[in-house]
Amino acid sequence: QPVFTTATCVGLVVVLLIALQCRTTVVVIRKDAGSAKFAVGQLIGFTLLAWLLASGVVQGLRLLGVG
């Protein structure tokens, strides 16, 4: 059974679109907001949101029968 099915690839795209991937982005947010807590909160929040949405997309596609 392949690891990367159509559903998991679409889920990966969702993660890459939503999650904050770059440390530089977090540093810029910290500088602009003036708070490291805000930057870390955004990092955690966007990562959690990306993971939840990707999981939903993968499970939804599997429910629809898309590999």
Side-chain angles (χ1 to χ4, degrees):
Q1 182 173 343
V3 175
F4 291 106
T5 63
T6 302
T8 56
C9 288
V10 173
L12 180 61
V13 169
V14 170
V15 168
L16 293 176
L17 285 172
I18 296 172
L20 296 177
Q21 300 296 318
C22 182
R23 283 190 212 169
T24 308
T25 304
V26 177
V27 171
V28 169
I29 292 169
R30 183 179 60 85
K31 280 178 84 174
D32 287 347
S35 170
K37 287 182 184 179
F38 183 75
V40 171
Q42 243 188 350
L43 177 66
I44 292 169
F46 276 107
T47 302
L48 182 63
L49 177 66
W51 184 83
L52 289 172
L53 287 176
S55 295
V57 166
V58 170
Q59 295 305 318
L61 287 173
R62 286 181 179 169
L63 186 66
L64 294 173
V66 177

